[in-house]
């Protein structure tokens, strides 16, 4: 639309010549050109706004009535869009969707729906989401399932030690047996122990001959550890948002969770914290930078002035998680925090934010 007048004027001489050759008077030609030029100035954004409005309405309806299927579709379409799989899944969980981790005995290698107790539908993350596995190998794993043991899996599908370790880290081998003679199903830690030796079954070693498969007595993985393992292995924490394990420490520092910002009056000074999902600086924002933080209760919009960004640039730009002090700003139902101070939040997550696109 910014170039519409220039483009239309470049066509005017040719258009008028053609109309005059066909007996159209100059007055009528001017009227026709005026109508075309007027439409050119808004036709492009109008068509886009109509398309986006339809897309938003359809997506909102689908998400409201079928939240698990909607999230499964988004996960299947990755990489795409503005939000990471972790944010999409966390939002789905806040809307009542049960999300299950990947497992080698799932019949679908991609994100899918599973019926659980009482006919409830849950979202199962696909094995294809596990680091180092990919679509082709995940499809082979699903096609040969179910598996009774790690030996059965490794001998049915060629898997190297790194791939087996990634599956074990994701919890995708939990419940299998370490080998055919073991009577104790493996958990995440014992599966990780057995992954290296079990990979030898993919090399053709005789059944039950791998040395070191049986793990010693190991302490089970706690929820905090499982959260970090899941984030590393398939980019989503299903047992709890990383900040949920820091909430007691954050409360002691006066940090307000995202869900409580709506009860804060305009201008209230607050301290918030979260994992950075986005850093944006639109050309029209006059140097203002917008940061999105995510905690276990929702998303927080942070507004950074040009001067504040310069002051805290190294921390604000490079830290995967931040603690921000500032003032609550409410307008038209939208809640922002205008930053006055930014600190690095010490938390074991790798940076996956979408920055300055």
């Amino acid at each position: 639309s910014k170039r519409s007048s220039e483009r239309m004027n470049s066509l005017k001489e040719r258009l008028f010549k053609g109309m005059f050759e066909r007996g159209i008077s100059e007055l009528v030609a001017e009227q026709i050109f005026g109508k075309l030029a007027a439409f050119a100035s808004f036709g492009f954004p109008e068509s886009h706004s109509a398309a986006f409005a339809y897309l938003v309405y359809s997506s909102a309806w689908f998400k409201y009535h079928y939240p698990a299927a909607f999230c499964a579709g988004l996960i299947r379409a990755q990489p795409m869009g503005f939000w990471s799989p972790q944010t999409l899944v966390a939002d789905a969980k806040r809307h009542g969707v049960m999300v299950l981790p990947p497992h080698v005995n799932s019949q679908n290698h991609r994100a899918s729906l599973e019926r659980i107790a009482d006919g409830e539908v849950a979202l199962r993350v696909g094995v294809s989401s596990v680091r180092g596995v990919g679509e082709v190998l995940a499809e082979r794993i699903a096609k040969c399932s179910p598996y009774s043991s790690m030996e059965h899996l490794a001998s049915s599908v060629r898997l190297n030690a790194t791939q087996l370790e990634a599956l074990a880290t994701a919890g995708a081998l939990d419940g299998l047996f370490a080998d055919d003679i073991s009577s104790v199903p493996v958990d995440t830690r014992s599966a990780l122990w057995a992954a290296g030796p079990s990979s030898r079954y993919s090399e053709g070693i005789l059944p039950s001959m791998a040395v070191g498969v049986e793990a010693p007595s190991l302490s089970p993985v706690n929820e905090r550890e499982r959260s970090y393992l899941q984030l590393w292995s398939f980019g989503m924490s299903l047992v709890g948002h990383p900040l949920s394990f820091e909430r007691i420490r954050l409360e002691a520092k006066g940090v307000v969770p995202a869900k409580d910002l709506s009860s804060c009056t305009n201008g209230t000074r607050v301290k918030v914290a979260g994992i950075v999902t986005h850093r944006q600086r639109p050309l029209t924002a006059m140097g203002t930078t917008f940061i999105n933080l995510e905690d276990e209760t929702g998303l927080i919009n942070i507004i950074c002035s040009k001067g504040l960004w310069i002051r805290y640039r190294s921390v604000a730009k490079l830290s995967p998680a931040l603690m921000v002090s500032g003032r609550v700003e409410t307008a038209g139902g939208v809640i922002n925090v205008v930053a006055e101070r930014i600190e690095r939040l010490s938390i074991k997550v790798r940076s996956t934010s979408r920055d300055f696109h």
Side-chain angles (χ1 to χ4, degrees):
S1 61
K2 293 179 180 178
R3 299 188 302 270
S4 62
S5 298
E6 178 185 339
R7 293 291 302 275
M8 289 301 295
N9 285 330
S10 69
L11 297 172
K12 186 173 182 179
E13 183 178 347
R14 180 183 170 193
L15 180 64
F16 271 53
K17 181 182 178 182
M19 287 195 285
F20 293 156
E21 289 175 353
R22 286 160 179 78
I24 297 173
S25 68
E26 184 175 356
L27 177 61
V28 174
E30 287 285 0
Q31 292 175 341
I32 292 174
F33 181 78
K35 292 181 184 294
L36 292 173
F39 179 77
S41 67
F42 75 88
F44 180 80
E46 182 188 43
S47 63
H48 271 60
S49 64
F52 276 118
Y54 178 76
L55 189 61
V56 168
Y57 174 82
S58 301
S59 299
W61 185 92
F62 194 10
K63 180 179 178 180
Y64 181 81
H65 291 285
Y66 302 97
F70 182 76
C71 188
L74 293 177
I75 299 302
R76 281 189 174 208
Q78 296 297 317
M80 59 153 285
F82 203 71
W83 303 103
S84 69
Q86 163 63 21
T87 300
L88 294 171
V89 164
D91 178 75
K93 289 177 66 178
R94 286 193 293 270
H95 285 82
V97 176
M98 179 179 289
V99 185
L100 305 174
H103 200 277
V104 293
N105 280 343
S106 174
Q107 295 181 343
N108 202 314
H109 68 288
R110 298 191 294 171
S112 57
L113 304 182
E114 286 189 13
R115 290 205 174 274
I116 52 178
D118 300 325
E120 186 180 352
V121 175
L123 165 62
R124 169 77 71 179
V125 178
V127 172
S128 60
S129 296
V130 176
R131 175 187 291 225
V133 175
E135 288 280 335
V136 176
L137 179 56
E139 190 170 7
R140 290 210 310 268
I141 291 173
K143 191 174 293 185
C144 297
S145 67
Y147 304 99
S148 57
S149 65
M150 291 179 65
E151 176 184 332
H152 183 196
L153 169 65
S155 59
S156 301
V157 185
R158 292 189 65 84
L159 295 166
N160 59 39
T162 301
Q163 290 164 337
L164 270 174
E165 286 172 358
L167 289 168
T169 303
L173 305 179
D174 287 7
L176 299 183
F177 294 96
D179 54 55
D180 286 339
I181 62 174
S182 173
S183 59
V184 181
V186 300
D187 59 10
T188 300
R189 211 181 291 280
S190 56
L192 191 56
W193 174 283
S198 294
S199 67
R200 297 197 61 198
Y201 292 122
S202 293
E203 302 167 4
I205 192 172
L206 292 174
S208 303
M209 293 296 291
V211 177
V213 172
E214 189 171 348
S217 178
L218 300 171
S219 59
V221 173
N222 61 42
E223 287 197 345
R224 181 192 290 263
E225 291 171 329
R226 189 174 295 281
S227 172
Y228 293 138
L229 291 174
Q230 289 179 343
L231 283 170
W232 179 88
S233 57
F234 57 92
M236 310 171 215
S237 173
L238 307 185
V239 294
H241 193 279
L243 253 70
S244 65
F245 305 109
E246 309 292 334
R247 184 50 60 189
I248 294 176
R249 175 170 69 94
L250 293 174
E251 285 180 347
K253 294 183 177 183
V255 173
V256 177
K259 67 178 179 62
D260 290 346
L261 288 176
S262 58
S263 61
C264 297
T265 57
N266 191 43
T268 303
R269 276 192 162 79
V270 295
K271 187 180 290 185
V272 295
I275 295 172
V276 179
T277 63
H278 301 88
R279 298 176 179 91
Q280 303 293 317
R281 188 183 299 128
L283 295 175
T284 57
M286 305 289 288
T288 300
T289 303
F290 301 93
I291 299 176
N292 281 96
L293 301 181
E294 181 186 49
D295 67 14
E296 73 275 25
T297 67
L299 298 165
I300 306 167
N301 302 319
I302 307 294
I303 300 176
C304 303
S305 66
K306 186 176 181 179
L308 179 124
W309 179 263
I310 293 172
R311 182 178 180 184
Y312 294 103
R313 183 174 182 274
S314 59
V315 174
K317 187 176 181 179
L318 301 177
S319 302
L322 298 171
M323 185 157 57
V324 178
S325 301
R327 291 178 292 102
V328 173
E329 179 185 81
T330 59
V334 177
I335 302 173
N336 302 311
V337 174
V338 181
E340 296 175 341
R341 178 181 174 86
I342 299 177
E343 304 171 62
R344 178 185 176 88
L345 179 63
S346 179
I347 188 171
K348 295 179 181 179
V349 293
R350 60 190 178 96
S351 179
T352 57
S353 61
R354 176 185 166 119
D355 297 337
F356 305 110
H357 288 277

